[in-house]
Amino acid sequence: MNVAVVGAGPAGLSAAWRLAQRGDCTVHVFERGAGIGGNAGSFEIGGMRADFGSHRLHPSCEARILDDIRGFLGGDLLDRPRHGRIRLRGSWIHFPLKPLDLAAHLPWSFGAAAALDQVRKRFARAATGESFAAVLERGLGRTICREFYFPYAQKIWGLPAQELHAEQAHRRVSANSASGLLARLLRKPPGAGRFFYPRRGFGQIAEAYAEAARQAGACIHMETEVQGLEEIPGLGWRVRFKTTNGEESMEANGVFSTIPLAALVRVLTAPPGILEAARALRPRAMVLIYLVVGRERYSEFDAHYFPGPEIRITRMSEPKNYGSAAPPGRTVLCAELPCDVRDNVWSMQDADLGALVRQSLATAGLEEPAPILDTVIRRLPQAYPIYTLDFFEHFHAIDSYLESLDGLLTFGRQGLFVHDNTHHALRMGYAAADCYRSGAFDRERWREYRREFAGHVVED
């Protein structure tokens, strides 16, 4: 009995490992690329391991999953303090927020205006509608929204806050009310202010799951693109795939997909209406600009956040400060530049992107990152989902169609068009494997898991 897993990111690999462990099926993982982990993978730059952007494993990770990762990585899983900062009105405040740091560094004009907003809320008419903008402005007030969340949202997702669905606020802003923000600030949960990070880069987590899956008997096919999924009534699926040696096929009793929904419905040859709905779902792309700098460290901070429109990049991280092993006298900076694959940012030359980062740092009042030994560019066509005001209509059409297909599940960040953290994706992989028994999916149990997944809120 064969099971096909499409995509070798954390969700797919964790499902493959759990299935292979049981020993009642042969698991085949198909990965189009040459590297493990997808957007949660790592690669080498100048003798150092770098990630595709800024990644952390949060302490809120489910205990059994965290125990498995500890078992895989041992002493390579580091417990690290969070030490970032946000540029706000020309000042720097610590992130995660700290009461004493806020008192010392939050611009007084910003703090006073935010406090006044809470007083005005008692007497003014609340923002109406169900958009990202309306939800946050009702909860947090005009100042916090219009000077932090709204410009940051415009940079990340490429749309004004008023044109984003309310679900974007529920999934991406954990404290979307003043009382919630105050509670998080004063009553931090266990593990707050810390994170886990593998010594050899964040991709070491996905690589460990891949190795464990192989040892349990799974077959992982790299540089192998699934080109067709054909349902065989009463028998399962025919999986057509292309390798470096040509085209092949196999039969599978079940298919687990973690690839983007648009890609999945194409290989399924879905009806025209479903294909149209998939085209209407809009992913946000990302250009990642890596500067290899010939010095021990650039700064003491793991990440800098730039919500203001005057600075082009949204975030800059320094993997060495996360705990990633690196040779002495060298560090890497990773700048994140969200964009659209059709705009000019996506096609900019490497030298111009490097200059853009240096100009952004200068605008922020940060030191010149010199000497620069190399500039490396990576492009992610599917970095974030964009929740437009009508996205639910399109998503539900696709979701209903896929649920009607026996023996197929879609999950993971790309497979469910969600923002989720890696620990959420791993949770989905475990849940998917739990729902597959004796060659069949337990659909009712999967629906229960889906209701749980709908409550996931991204931790940044």
Side-chain angles (χ1 to χ4, degrees):
M1 183 166 61
N2 290 327
V3 174
V5 178
V6 188
L13 290 169
S14 59
W17 173 62
R18 296 280 292 182
L19 288 169
Q21 268 191 316
R22 294 210 301 259
D24 58 0
C25 61
T26 302
V27 181
H28 293 265
V29 180
F30 298 94
E31 170 54 47
R32 182 179 66 175
I36 289 290
N39 288 1
S42 295
F43 59 99
E44 187 168 301
I45 296 179
M48 292 167 281
R49 293 267 282 177
D51 307 328
F52 290 100
S54 174
H55 293 274
R56 302 177 180 84
L57 183 66
H58 296 278
S60 55
C61 179
E62 185 180 339
R64 64 169 174 158
I65 298 175
L66 186 54
D67 286 344
D68 288 337
I69 296 172
R70 285 190 173 117
F72 295 150
L73 300 186
D76 273 0
L77 186 64
L78 308 176
D79 184 341
R80 302 285 296 165
R82 296 201 61 179
H83 188 41
R85 60 178 180 171
I86 300 170
R87 188 176 187 270
L88 187 63
R89 282 195 181 180
S91 298
W92 292 102
I93 57 175
H94 193 272
F95 186 76
L97 303 178
K98 295 181 176 181
L100 293 180
D101 178 80
L102 280 176
H105 298 114
L106 186 70
W108 71 266
S109 56
F110 181 92
L116 186 58
D117 285 342
Q118 299 309 307
V119 175
R120 286 175 176 157
K121 277 171 56 178
R122 298 176 180 272
F123 307 100
R125 180 188 303 175
T128 58
E130 283 302 313
S131 66
F132 178 91
V135 168
L136 289 189
E137 197 160 315
R138 279 199 300 267
L140 296 171
R142 291 170 58 93
T143 302
I144 294 175
C145 289
R146 301 197 178 192
E147 296 208 29
F148 179 76
Y149 281 111
F150 292 177
Y152 208 25
Q154 176 86 50
K155 289 172 69 174
I156 292 176
W157 297 302
L159 291 174
Q162 294 78 8
E163 296 180 23
L164 296 170
H165 197 281
E167 188 70 6
Q168 199 104 42
H170 299 314
R171 291 292 189 104
R172 283 301 303 251
V173 184
S174 55
N176 51 35
S177 69
S179 59
L181 185 62
L182 186 62
R184 284 179 62 87
L185 189 60
L186 299 178
R187 297 195 302 272
K188 293 188 178 296
R194 306 197 68 81
F195 66 97
F196 298 105
Y197 190 83
R199 195 184 306 274
R200 288 190 46 75
F202 196 77
Q204 193 176 355
I205 294 175
E207 291 160 8
Y209 273 99
E211 181 57 28
R214 287 191 184 101
Q215 291 182 8
C219 304
I220 300 181
H221 309 273
M222 303 302 298
E223 297 182 271
T224 301
E225 183 176 6
V226 171
Q227 296 189 315
L229 290 171
E230 301 167 12
E231 190 173 11
I232 308 172
L235 295 175
W237 292 85
R238 179 174 292 109
V239 183
R240 293 188 294 104
F241 52 93
K242 184 177 181 180
T243 72
T244 53
N245 297 320
E247 296 183 4
E248 301 179 40
S249 68
M250 63 168 275
E251 292 186 3
N253 300 84
V255 175
F256 290 69
S257 176
T258 65
I259 62 176
L261 286 174
L264 176 58
V265 298
R266 282 198 301 271
V267 299
L268 285 166
T269 317
I274 301 303
L275 294 171
E276 185 178 346
R279 286 191 291 269
L281 293 181
R282 295 175 55 184
R284 184 71 161 158
M286 176 88 76
V287 175
L288 299 169
I289 306 114
Y290 300 85
L291 303 181
V292 182
V293 184
R295 56 201 289 184
E296 190 63 29
R297 274 185 169 77
Y298 176 73
S299 78
E300 66 182 89
F301 298 97
D302 50 43
H304 293 76
Y305 297 82
F306 306 103
E310 72 281 4
I311 296 172
R312 296 284 298 278
I313 61 176
T314 54
R315 176 168 57 184
M316 183 187 72
S317 55
E318 188 167 0
K320 198 169 187 177
N321 292 343
Y322 284 49
S324 185
R330 188 174 297 181
T331 192
V332 169
L333 304 179
C334 173
E336 300 177 17
L337 183 59
C339 64
D340 188 280
V341 294
R342 295 163 294 189
D343 67 30
N344 64 338
V345 170
W346 183 255
S347 55
M348 282 177 70
Q349 297 296 311
D350 291 7
D352 294 334
L353 289 166
L356 182 152
V357 172
R358 294 195 301 274
Q359 180 57 53
S360 294
L361 299 182
T363 302
L366 294 173
E367 186 179 354
E368 170 75 12
I372 295 176
L373 307 179
D374 197 7
T375 299
V376 178
I377 308 299
R378 291 289 186 271
R379 291 174 171 85
L380 304 179
Q382 308 258 355
Y384 300 123
I386 304 173
Y387 287 176
T388 55
L389 295 176
D390 61 353
F391 98 95
F392 259 134
E393 172 190 341
H394 308 300
F395 175 80
H396 285 313
I398 300 165
D399 198 37
S400 297
Y401 164 72
L402 295 176
E403 189 168 307
S404 73
L405 303 177
D406 288 336
L408 183 144
L409 284 188
T410 180
F411 58 97
R413 294 181 76 245
Q414 306 285 5
L416 288 179
F417 200 64
V418 290
H419 296 270
D420 291 3
N421 298 115
T422 294
H423 67 278
H424 295 136
L426 292 169
R427 169 67 173 148
M428 291 185 199
Y430 279 55
D434 289 347
C435 289
Y436 187 77
R437 300 281 175 176
S438 303
F441 288 117
D442 185 338
R443 286 287 181 181
E444 188 51 46
R445 191 176 184 189
W446 181 244
R447 290 186 191 102
E448 291 175 7
Y449 278 124
R450 286 286 301 273
R451 287 190 283 272
E452 173 196 318
F453 302 157
H456 287 170
V457 179
V458 170
E459 297 183 48
D460 215 339

